[in-house]
Amino acid sequence: MHNTLSVQPLTAAAFAPFGTVIAVPAGAPGRPINGGTSQRFDLLADMALSAEGGRPMLALFRAQARRFPHAVDELERHALGSQTFVPLGQRRFVLVVAPAAPEPDLGALAAFMTDGAQGVVLAPGTWHHALLAVDAGDFVVVERAAQAVDCDVVRWERSVSVVIPA
């Protein structure tokens, strides 16, 4: 396990093992809609929210800015559905993630920072830290809702320090 984890910029390729980056595709014209006044970009056809009777839930998280370096000593996962975070306005946030598995592989931790306009869809089962807002504000969250809560949490004794490079 790392003692220090440096945050890297969020890119679709680097984040692919953990989920999907939500951003306007570079160079993509989109599809004109609303009489040509808007462009539509279809990003993800299935957000995997219906397993075992689940349904989509739209929530708003009002996040406080975190201080960095930030000590991380727990991760959570949602094994039955994805979880989506989209900032309202220019709001950067850090994602600390580990690959989907029965238990998190702390040696495979990765950290990414959005550019403030990007959102993410975490793939079902991806281990992740709770929302780490760099900029305080509101975030739209789409996740699976059902009678049984789908959130596993794992804690460990020795924290990892998440650092944003200067």
Side-chain angles (χ1 to χ4, degrees), residues 2 5 14-19 75-79 95-112 122-129 152 154 156:
H2 313 282
L5 187 61
F15 194 72
F18 310 106
L75 294 176
E76 64 183 57
R77 73 169 181 167
H78 310 284
L95 296 135
V96 177
V97 292
E103 295 290 325
D105 177 355
L106 301 181
L109 284 175
F112 302 93
L122 294 165
T126 297
W127 289 97
H128 63 282
H129 192 276
D152 300 317
V154 171
W156 58 91

Side-chain angles (χ1 to χ4, degrees), residues 42-99:
D42 293 330
L43 303 176
L44 191 58
D46 182 3
M47 293 179 61
L49 298 170
S50 61
E52 296 185 20
R55 65 191 185 287
M57 168 69 73
L58 179 68
L60 183 69
F61 287 17
R62 180 154 291 152
Q64 296 177 5
R66 304 286 188 114
R67 293 179 186 232
F68 291 87
H70 184 81
V72 169
D73 63 0
E74 71 177 25
L75 294 176
E76 64 183 57
R77 73 169 181 167
H78 310 284
L80 298 176
S82 65
Q83 189 175 39
T84 301
F85 294 90
V86 179
L88 293 179
Q90 288 290 114
R91 309 256 187 272
R92 296 169 299 156
F93 62 104
V94 169
L95 296 135
V96 177
V97 292

